[in-house]
Amino acid sequence: MPPLMGIEFLCRVSDVLSDYLGGLNEDVIKDNFVIVYELLDEMIDNGFPLTTEPNILREMIAPPNIVSKVLSVVTGNSSNVSDTLPGATGSCIPWRAADPKYANNEVYVDLVEEMDTVINRDGVLVKCEIYGEVRVNSHLSGLPDLTLSFANPSILDDVRFHPCVRFRPWESHQILSFVPPDGEFKLMSYRVKKLKSTPIYVKPQLSSDAGKWCVNVLVGLRNDHGKTIDSITLQFQLPPCVLSADLTSNTGTVNVLGNKTCSWSIGRIPKDKTPSLSGTLEFESELERLNVFPTFRVGFKIMGVALSGVQIDKLDLKSTPSRLYKGFRALTQAGEFEVRS
Amino acid sequence: MAPPAQSQRSPSPSQPSGKSELSDLKLQLRKFAGSRAPGVDDSKRELFKKVISYMTIGIDVSSLFGEMVMCSATSDIVLKKMCYLYVGNYAKVNPDLALLTINFLQRDCHDQDPMIRGLALRSLCSLRVANLVEYLVGPLGSGLKDSNSYVRMVAVIGVLKLYHISASTCIDADFPSMLKHLMLNDSDTQVVANCLSALQEIWSAEASRSEEAPREREALISKPVIYYLLNRIKEFSEWAQCLVLELITKYVPSDSSEIFDIMNLLEDRLQHANGAVVLATVKVFLQLTLSMTDVHQQVYERIKAPLLTLVSSGSPEQSYAVLSHLHLLVMRAPYVFSSDYKHFYCQYNEPSYVKRLKLEMLTAVANESNTYEIVTELCEYAANVDIPIARESIRAVGKIALQQYDVNAIVDRLLQFLEMDKDYVTADALVLVKDLLRKYPQWSHDCIAVVGNISSKNVQEPKAKAALIWMLGEYSQDMQDAPYILESLIENWDEEHSAEVRLHLLTAVMKCFFKRPPETQSALGAALAAGVADFHQDVHDRALFYHRILRYNVSVAERVVNPPKQAVSVFADTQSSEIKDRIFEEFNSLSVLYQKPSYMFIDKEHRGPPEFADELGNLSIGEAEDNVVPSQRVEENDKDLLLTTAEKEETRGSSNNGSAYNVPYDSAASVFASQTQIESAISNPTTAGHSQQASFGIDDLLGLGMPAVPDAPPSPPQLKLNAKAALDPSTFQQKWRQLPVALSQELSLSPQAIAALTAPQALLRHMQSHSIHCIASGGQSPNFKFFFFAQKYKESSNYLVECIINTSSAKAQVKIKADDQSTSQAFSTLFESALSKFGIP
């Protein structure tokens, strides 16, 4: 049996369960074991995965929620199974529930990017790559046929699509043409490699001065995109031979946790000064040289910009209903952003 | 309304205090059984929930079976589902009661609601009670023709379940051909997919039994079926796509244009969001192009990007599985990936199993152009907090050096490691420097200068210490104080716990002696004295050898110990290319993750024969048995080497239950055996009444393998079986079809044997100890079916046995077929006696 099939299926089960139960832990499963049994019954039979699309499962087995609980108390009818079979099991668009109706036709597109970067101690980019996802949240009536195009599709290195995306239009014109599932889903994911710069720089310095080790870390912006960077954090592991650390910063807060993890949350960078962290480390014994250098892991969030430069050009609905509200957002955050010292 | 049910709206499972709770539940269930009052469903639901929660946490609530069944008449689907669940769980242990449920399940199979029809059919097929099979055929037949695809989908899987309970019923009802029809004509792809998986399973299981099964299996991978599935592949669910893709890998296209058609059609599957689909597609591409070398290379280029994307998305488990496959591909074609080396850089907080794979890949993709960057990166990891990874990366640097790229720079790095002043770094670097020097002796000058500075006291690990000592011996002429370091090491001989280090020390001292005799002489004397007195056999022997060779002739000794050395050009690879190819063939399976071919981890002993199947096709192969020779047998083998035949007989006599019988005999005995006519040497008190045995009165005297007659004269039995016989299932099947039945008889079994035969495995082990190996087994009480085989010792003559045991009548039907017909009677006797000893401790 293919290993990924097993792993992907388990991931799907956990997604569906946490979707249904609003979390996934032992207690939640114990409290809702009937639903869990019902779900597993539909998701796998005789060792072969059957229905795993959340939309269809939702039609077969109603999720437990407050509304249905209230309803069951009021009406006394507490069956959480719908009376009819979902139409989509027979349709050729298995991801879409049959004919939902919405008063407002809305579709939101989010570009979420994660930046994976390694910077070495000389400040040189060793590796910089962006992994991005296009997440769509659609609430559209009927059977909508959407097309989405990018302003600059050529910069995408490799793409993966939700099954709803038609392959041919992408191959010929780099246009995403699809009938979306209802609700939130991941339309595509992509990779952009060989980026030239990072939005933020971190300059760590370690120096020894008369038996004491001084740490000095500077964090600053490379301002080239005009958006503010939020929730900047910095984390690093102190070498195991460090006895104690005395660290202070001019902005944000510094915490040294029990396992010698040091975290510095800066938040937003103030206009007037450059955040810096400095302090001294005390070692078990006097060391001439440090053998283990900490790696600084950086976290940040930039709203409103996709750092890879990917831009959505337009989103069209083929069969135009009365009105359509479209919303776009972009967000870049740090993935594995590490700076070595 | 029942008070306890009301008090707990969502019962978290608690331990019932004891029997009273169960009987309490029983009473309450009984109360609701016939009632149709409004609101009853709600209270029933609470009760059912309770029962099922007990069941879930492992409390046996099967005593409520009758009450549960009585309560099952309801229109509430959730109640029904819970009831089905309960019934499905306990029907197997309560076959008689299960009969009660048949009625209401059958009724539900005709319900208005397709959901209920489907659920009822699924539960009906999940009962797994052999004697209820007849009730399944009807509902399944109508289920397959149901107008609703949900019911058809369930029915198809139901057919497969029926097949596992009773294969003959399933075949007789002609379900496979109905499935085939459905597969090629149904409008719902999930039905098609289920048909496909059911048919695959049925035909491969059936392959051993019927003539048409292999043909049918072939038909599944015939051109029309494959094309039909390929054309609809986009309609299938992602899991079904995996199934179809797996099927396509078995298909052999007729020409290259067909290959390109298939690949063009499947190319977009590489961009599927589900990693399983992507990997299955990759496998199709790789398999299809195996014979076309240049296209195969293009395939590598094409699949590279999707795989790399898969690695960077998803959970660590997913990326590890993908990474393992990538690892396999990188190892096969490193040059394709050499420009993507940055993808294999380790991130700080990746789990170490991921890092380890990445390090190996970095090592593999290193070439002239990227070595510098890769080694720089690896050196970063050497300072990692994660010590195993730090070590691993140092080794990786060494391996790259041995690959001959840019050795100059790497040697410098390695020497830097030596100066890093960390135990584990120094240790690993030392081992590497040693290997490097063996390959590139020209670097000795630089290395020795650094190595000389290392104090041997700081090196504790045996491997590193041995490496250091080797260098001291090999380059003692260049190192000023080599003799003195060795001397101090020899002084601490007793504190050196590793024999490897002591061996190296001896050799090093010898080498040093030939280069700088005056300084080393005393140390050599001390070392030889200590070595000869050493309790470790190898150390002792080597010391003695050196001592004697020195006394014999010093110049000869020098030629032996210190010959001119040639640089090692290639270090032995740990895994043979054959094994690597095997793993590649099993792409997209666990073999890749374990990095060994499937036969290495699918071990019969660990897995046991499948529960339901009693056919040959999907059973494991007897070869695994070679790996698990019982320790007792090994011991016996050892004794064999030392004891005379007479002594052997005694040992055998005193050893328990005659399992020593399968000890291989020496050649003289086998000559004797082949001279003697076909006779069996075994008799047994319990089966002494049998007529065949009576004719071998003389053999009764031998009493071989029998504790009862220990003093019998030593004479080997005439028919001996090979204890390690091997036969693969396909050969077995072939032979079974070809050979006529030599002997067919009915044996009766002792009550002890029946008692011991709770599971097929018990008999397997027993027969194995008599050199009769099982190739396939199955069945459930009271009917068991076994296929055994045995091989004549030192001959390739095989015996095949079909043995059907019915425990209720205590009879065994035995059919024997043999390559050599003349010996089948003797084998039969042997088999009979082995069987008769089963269950007797």
Side-chain angles (χ1 to χ4, degrees):
Chain A
M1 144 137 171
L4 261 179
M5 198 158 152
I7 297 172
E8 289 269 359
F9 179 73
L10 289 175
C11 289
R12 201 64 62 85
V13 170
S14 93
D15 284 352
V16 168
L17 285 183
S18 50
D19 189 32
Y20 261 81
L21 310 175
L24 194 59
N25 57 45
E26 198 181 335
D27 290 336
V28 169
I29 290 184
K30 272 184 185 166
D31 287 348
N32 296 286
F33 60 88
V34 174
I35 294 255
V36 175
Y37 274 130
E38 286 181 53
L39 283 173
L40 288 180
D41 220 19
E42 294 300 336
M43 290 180 83
I44 192 161
D45 191 9
N46 205 34
F48 194 75
L50 293 177
T51 315
T52 49
E53 284 297 331
N55 276 310
I56 297 170
L57 286 172
R58 207 175 287 272
E59 278 188 42
M60 288 201 257
I61 301 151
N65 53 30
I66 299 152
V67 179
S68 74
K69 265 184 192 155
V70 172
L71 208 72
S72 73
V73 172
V74 174
T75 60
N77 171 21
S78 57
S79 164
N80 60 349
V81 174
S82 62
D83 297 332
T84 50
L85 263 184
T89 38
S91 85
C92 59
I93 309 168
W95 52 85
R96 193 168 171 85
D99 216 20
K101 294 262 188 298
Y102 291 99
N104 301 323
N105 280 306
E106 303 167 314
V107 55
Y108 299 98
V109 181
D110 286 356
L111 272 178
V112 182
E113 301 199 329
E114 282 188 2
M115 189 171 216
D116 295 333
T117 308
V118 177
I119 300 173
N120 75 5
R121 66 174 61 90
D122 308 319
V124 179
L125 268 181
V126 175
K127 170 183 165 183
C128 186
E129 206 177 66
I130 279 187
Y131 171 76
E133 288 178 355
V134 181
R135 293 188 196 149
V136 177
N137 196 350
S138 97
H139 297 285
L140 299 169
S141 314
L143 210 66
D145 199 331
L146 293 170
T147 47
L148 180 79
S149 57
F150 292 103
N152 44 358
S154 56
I155 63 166
L156 302 177
D157 246 336
D158 184 54
V159 286
R160 288 208 295 152
F161 299 121
H162 188 273
C164 69
V165 177
R166 298 188 187 96
F167 183 61
R168 296 292 162 209
W170 173 262
E171 203 181 37
S172 48
H173 305 101
Q174 273 83 50
I175 293 171
L176 291 169
S177 159
F178 58 98
V179 177
D182 214 28
E184 211 182 319
F185 69 102
K186 191 170 93 182
L187 179 67
M188 71 178 272
S189 59
Y190 57 87
R191 226 160 23 97
V192 178
K193 60 181 179 184
K194 297 201 176 108
L195 282 126
K196 294 285 177 297
S197 72
T198 56
I200 198 169
Y201 68 84
V202 175
K203 281 186 184 154
Q205 262 185 336
L206 282 158
S207 55
S208 118
D209 178 34
K212 284 224 161 167
W213 281 88
C214 298
V215 189
N216 192 5
V217 188
L218 283 176
V219 178
L221 297 180
R222 284 205 180 88
N223 220 347
D224 48 5
H225 49 80
K227 301 275 179 185
T228 45
I229 304 182
D230 284 317
S231 40
I232 302 174
T233 55
L234 200 74
Q235 262 203 354
F236 60 98
Q237 184 92 31
L238 294 170
C241 50
V242 171
L243 268 188
S244 67
D246 176 27
L247 301 166
T248 49
S249 65
N250 62 356
T251 28
T253 50
V254 186
N255 286 313
V256 182
L257 305 171
N259 55 355
K260 287 185 179 159
T261 309
C262 179
S263 75
W264 176 25
S265 53
I266 302 168
R268 214 172 271 191
I269 290 183
K271 289 214 170 62
D272 50 342
K273 56 186 170 182
T274 311
S276 74
L277 173 87
S278 55
T280 52
L281 302 177
E282 203 176 301
F283 288 93
E284 280 169 356
S285 54
E286 293 236 329
L287 284 178
E288 283 176 28
R289 284 183 303 163
L290 256 184
N291 289 323
V292 179
F293 299 100
T295 301
F296 296 83
R297 276 170 294 148
V298 184
F300 60 81
K301 221 178 215 180
I302 312 173
M303 302 296 287
V305 71
L307 275 184
S308 63
V310 174
Q311 277 175 341
I312 292 176
D313 188 29
K314 59 181 178 193
L315 176 71
D316 286 329
L317 188 62
K318 252 184 203 159
S319 52
T320 39
S322 47
R323 8 175 254 284
L324 170 68
Y325 179 76
K326 296 183 274 192
F328 298 97
R329 270 193 308 187
L331 166 71
T332 302
Q333 55 195 28
E336 294 288 336
F337 192 109
E338 53 183 67
V339 181
R340 292 171 182 159
S341 61
Chain B
M1 216 119 323
Q6 284 294 337
S7 62
Q8 265 183 308
R9 289 265 356 147
S10 63
S12 51
S14 57
Q15 208 75 11
S17 50
K19 285 228 162 114
S20 63
E21 287 242 0
L22 273 186
S23 54
D24 201 30
L25 275 174
K26 203 174 212 170
L27 274 178
Q28 289 179 30
L29 278 171
R30 224 169 244 173
K31 205 164 80 191
F32 293 123
S35 162
R36 286 197 179 270
V40 163
D41 276 353
D42 261 2
S43 358
K44 268 200 208 168
R45 206 188 261 202
E46 291 303 327
L47 277 178
F48 273 35
K49 255 189 176 175
K50 241 185 181 174
V51 172
I52 288 179
S53 73
Y54 286 158
M55 185 179 93
T56 310
I57 55 175
I59 295 168
D60 184 16
V61 284
S62 58
S63 56
L64 301 175
F65 202 97
E67 283 72 21
M68 288 292 279
V69 172
M70 271 192 270
C71 277
S72 57
T74 169
S75 55
D76 185 283
I77 292 203
V78 176
L79 258 184
K80 267 201 200 305
K81 279 191 178 178
M82 286 198 274
C83 190
Y84 293 157
L85 184 70
Y86 175 86
V87 167
N89 211 8
Y90 285 115
K92 214 174 155 187
V93 281
N94 271 335
D96 302 334
L97 284 171
L99 195 60
L100 292 174
T101 61
I102 291 279
N103 201 6
F104 89 88
L105 283 176
Q106 270 187 328
R107 203 176 52 238
D108 282 353
C109 284
H110 299 292
D111 200 276
Q112 287 283 307
D113 187 349
M115 188 96 182
I116 293 190
R117 286 205 299 272
L119 286 172
L121 194 56
R122 183 181 294 164
S123 319
L124 196 60
C125 298
S126 306
L127 291 181
R128 298 198 170 137
V129 180
N131 46 10
L132 297 184
V133 164
E134 52 197 297
Y135 301 103
L136 288 181
V137 178
L140 270 180
S142 49
L144 287 175
K145 296 191 193 86
D146 201 283
S147 60
N148 192 294
S149 60
Y150 181 78
V151 185
R152 291 200 300 274
M153 183 174 97
V154 171
V156 171
I157 295 292
V159 168
L160 187 59
K161 289 177 185 162
L162 170 68
Y163 177 80
H164 284 314
I165 308 166
S166 164
S168 55
T169 321
C170 179
I171 305 285
D172 291 345
D174 207 24
F175 280 136
S177 62
M178 283 168 82
L179 289 190
K180 197 174 167 191
H181 177 78
L182 217 51
M183 180 179 82
L184 295 176
N185 296 297
D186 204 280
S187 59
D188 187 282
T189 46
Q190 190 63 53
V191 177
V192 175
N194 285 0
C195 285
L196 178 62
S197 72
L199 279 177
Q200 273 185 311
E201 207 166 319
I202 291 178
W203 288 133
S204 58
E206 196 64 17
S208 61
R209 270 192 241 150
S210 71
E211 295 285 312
E212 53 171 349
R215 237 188 2 255
E216 290 287 347
R217 203 158 54 155
E218 286 298 307
L220 279 183
I221 47 172
S222 66
K223 196 166 172 175
V225 178
I226 294 283
Y227 274 52
Y228 165 77
L229 292 171
L230 269 175
N231 286 329
R232 293 184 72 177
I233 194 156
K234 279 173 199 148
E235 300 165 28
F236 284 100
S237 78
E238 46 206 315
W239 315 111
Q241 287 186 12
C242 298
L243 190 75
V244 173
L245 289 169
E246 187 66 37
L247 186 76
I248 293 172
T249 55
K250 297 190 191 116
Y251 173 65
V252 186
S254 54
D255 55 26
S256 56
S257 72
E258 214 181 330
I259 294 180
F260 289 120
D261 282 349
I262 295 179
M263 297 212 304
N264 281 332
L265 195 70
L266 291 179
E267 194 178 0
D268 54 340
R269 296 297 102 195
L270 287 175
Q271 273 151 357
H272 200 281
N274 188 323
V277 176
V278 177
L279 268 190
T281 315
V282 167
K283 183 172 184 182
V284 172
F285 277 35
L286 289 175
Q287 295 285 343
L288 284 181
T289 57
L290 261 185
S291 54
M292 309 152 84
T293 328
D294 45 338
V295 187
H296 200 61
Q297 290 312 320
Q298 289 170 17
V299 166
Y300 273 105
E301 292 287 351
R302 177 66 188 86
I303 60 181
K304 199 167 73 176
L307 285 176
L308 291 174
T309 312
L310 263 182
V311 171
S312 51
S313 60
S315 63
E317 294 82 10
Q318 277 161 304
S319 48
Y320 177 69
V322 180
L323 214 54
S324 307
H325 284 86
L326 206 55
H327 177 258
L328 179 73
L329 296 177
V330 167
M331 293 303 164
R332 281 181 80 84
Y335 43 90
V336 179
F337 295 88
S338 54
S339 58
D340 299 281
Y341 61 94
K342 281 192 177 170
H343 282 283
F344 308 133
Y345 282 5
C346 301
Q347 298 280 354
Y348 176 74
N349 50 357
E350 273 167 342
S352 51
Y353 49 86
V354 171
K355 283 187 184 165
R356 190 158 295 139
L357 273 184
K358 285 190 166 177
L359 286 178
E360 278 182 41
M361 289 196 268
L362 276 179
T363 320
V365 298
N367 64 13
E368 287 91 342
S369 56
N370 59 22
T371 300
Y372 180 77
E373 276 105 62
I374 291 181
V375 172
T376 313
E377 181 72 14
L378 287 172
C379 292
E380 295 281 345
Y381 307 147
N384 204 308
V385 204
D386 187 352
I387 292 175
I389 290 302
R391 283 167 163 264
E392 215 50 67
S393 46
I394 295 169
R395 275 175 226 151
V397 172
K399 271 189 214 152
I400 293 177
L402 294 178
Q403 282 168 6
Q404 251 170 339
Y405 301 118
D406 199 10
V407 185
N408 197 349
I410 298 176
V411 172
D412 283 351
R413 307 274 182 134
L414 277 178
L415 297 180
Q416 276 172 22
F417 286 148
L418 285 180
E419 287 164 349
M420 254 177 74
D421 216 17
K422 286 223 140 210
D423 294 350
Y424 57 90
V425 177
T426 317
D428 269 305
L430 269 179
V431 177
L432 285 175
V433 169
K434 177 203 70 175
D435 283 344
L436 265 183
L437 286 180
R438 286 172 64 199
K439 188 161 179 183
Y440 312 110
Q442 66 268 33
W443 294 102
S444 63
H445 200 73
D446 301 271
C447 295
I448 291 312
V450 181
V451 171
N453 292 334
I454 294 173
S455 160
S456 62
K457 289 187 186 64
N458 294 345
V459 184
Q460 288 308 322
E461 282 169 53
K463 269 211 162 8
K465 211 165 183 176
L468 179 64
I469 291 170
W470 182 84
M471 284 187 274
L472 285 172
E474 196 64 34
Y475 299 97
S476 44
Q477 74 276 22
D478 302 326
M479 278 194 262
Q480 264 301 311
D481 43 2
Y484 309 105
I485 300 175
L486 287 173
E487 195 167 354
S488 71
L489 283 168
I490 290 163
E491 276 168 22
N492 298 322
W493 185 276
D494 291 334
E495 286 150 38
E496 189 48 67
H497 297 293
S498 160
E500 187 192 356
V501 175
R502 296 202 297 272
L503 282 172
H504 271 282
L505 199 50
L506 272 177
T507 312
V509 150
M510 280 290 277
K511 285 179 189 163
C512 191
F513 171 73
F514 294 121
K515 284 166 186 156
R516 299 161 73 172
E519 290 158 288
T520 325
Q521 200 172 14
S522 65
L524 179 65
L528 286 179
V532 170
D534 201 280
F535 61 89
H536 193 275
Q537 195 69 45
D538 287 346
V539 181
H540 170 81
D541 286 356
R542 190 178 289 188
L544 216 55
F545 167 69
Y546 283 157
H547 177 65
R548 288 182 185 153
I549 202 170
L550 278 174
R551 282 215 339 222
Y552 169 70
N553 187 334
V554 176
S555 63
V556 171
E558 181 167 12
R559 262 186 290 140
V560 169
V561 178
N562 219 5
K565 292 208 175 44
Q566 274 184 340
V568 183
S569 58
V570 184
F571 283 91
D573 204 347
T574 43
Q575 216 171 29
S576 76
S577 63
E578 189 196 351
I579 285 187
K580 284 180 190 155
D581 283 347
R582 276 291 271 276
I583 299 177
F584 182 68
E585 274 167 32
E586 290 165 5
F587 193 86
N588 198 18
S589 74
L590 286 174
S591 315
V592 181
L593 266 68
Y594 296 154
Q595 298 190 6
K596 38 176 112 147
S598 55
Y599 71 84
M600 282 177 148
F601 57 85
I602 303 179
D603 189 317
K604 196 174 181 180
E605 282 292 300
H606 295 299
R607 207 179 54 158
E611 211 178 336
F612 300 109
D614 57 347
E615 55 281 320
L616 291 171
N618 58 357
L619 283 182
S620 56
I621 305 163
E623 67 187 7
E625 287 161 3
D626 291 33
N627 310 335
V628 280
V629 183
S631 59
Q632 191 202 353
R633 202 190 300 169
V634 176
E635 263 175 43
E636 295 285 350
N637 272 330
D638 284 349
K639 280 182 198 158
D640 253 21
L641 298 172
L642 302 169
L643 302 182
T644 67
T645 330
E647 283 169 328
K648 225 190 305 181
E649 281 309 315
E650 272 177 25
T651 1
R652 193 166 303 131
S654 57
S655 75
N656 55 2
N657 70 7
S659 69
Y661 182 69
N662 52 21
V663 168
Y665 293 84
D666 52 67
S667 55
S670 77
V671 170
F672 177 60
S674 56
Q675 282 167 350
T676 329
Q677 279 302 303
I678 9 94
E679 276 172 328
S680 170
I682 301 251
S683 68
N684 193 297
T686 53
T687 53
H690 279 275
S691 56
Q692 300 101 320
Q693 222 115 47
S695 61
F696 302 120
I698 184 165
D699 298 320
D700 280 342
L701 292 173
L702 301 177
L704 272 167
M706 284 240 333
V709 202
D711 298 325
S715 167
Q718 280 78 359
L719 178 70
K720 287 180 307 298
L721 300 175
N722 185 357
K724 292 186 178 179
L727 195 67
D728 63 301
S730 56
T731 328
F732 186 94
Q733 284 164 38
Q734 204 189 347
K735 279 187 185 295
W736 188 259
R737 237 174 280 138
Q738 286 165 353
L739 293 170
V741 177
L743 262 174
S744 176
Q745 55 185 337
E746 194 178 84
L747 307 172
S748 47
L749 291 169
S750 65
Q752 294 101 309
I754 298 300
L757 192 67
T758 49
Q761 287 88 332
L763 183 64
L764 301 195
R765 253 169 257 133
H766 170 77
M767 296 307 271
Q768 198 183 321
S769 69
H770 288 262
S771 303
I772 297 169
H773 304 274
C774 182
I775 198 156
S777 69
Q780 283 166 297
S781 182
N783 283 306
F784 292 96
K785 188 172 186 180
F786 300 90
F787 283 97
F788 292 107
F789 72 94
Q791 218 163 41
K792 214 163 159 184
Y793 184 59
K794 292 205 171 160
E795 277 176 63
S796 60
S797 171
N798 290 308
Y799 302 95
L800 315 181
V801 187
E802 182 198 71
C803 176
I804 302 167
I805 297 179
N806 187 306
T807 47
S808 55
S809 63
K811 294 270 189 242
Q813 296 278 351
V814 180
K815 272 188 202 152
I816 296 175
K817 299 186 179 186
D819 281 343
D820 180 6
Q821 297 285 336
S822 56
T823 56
S824 53
Q825 182 65 51
F827 175 74
S828 149
T829 326
L830 236 163
F831 184 83
E832 202 184 314
S833 92
L835 193 62
S836 67
K837 278 186 220 137
F838 178 59
I840 302 167

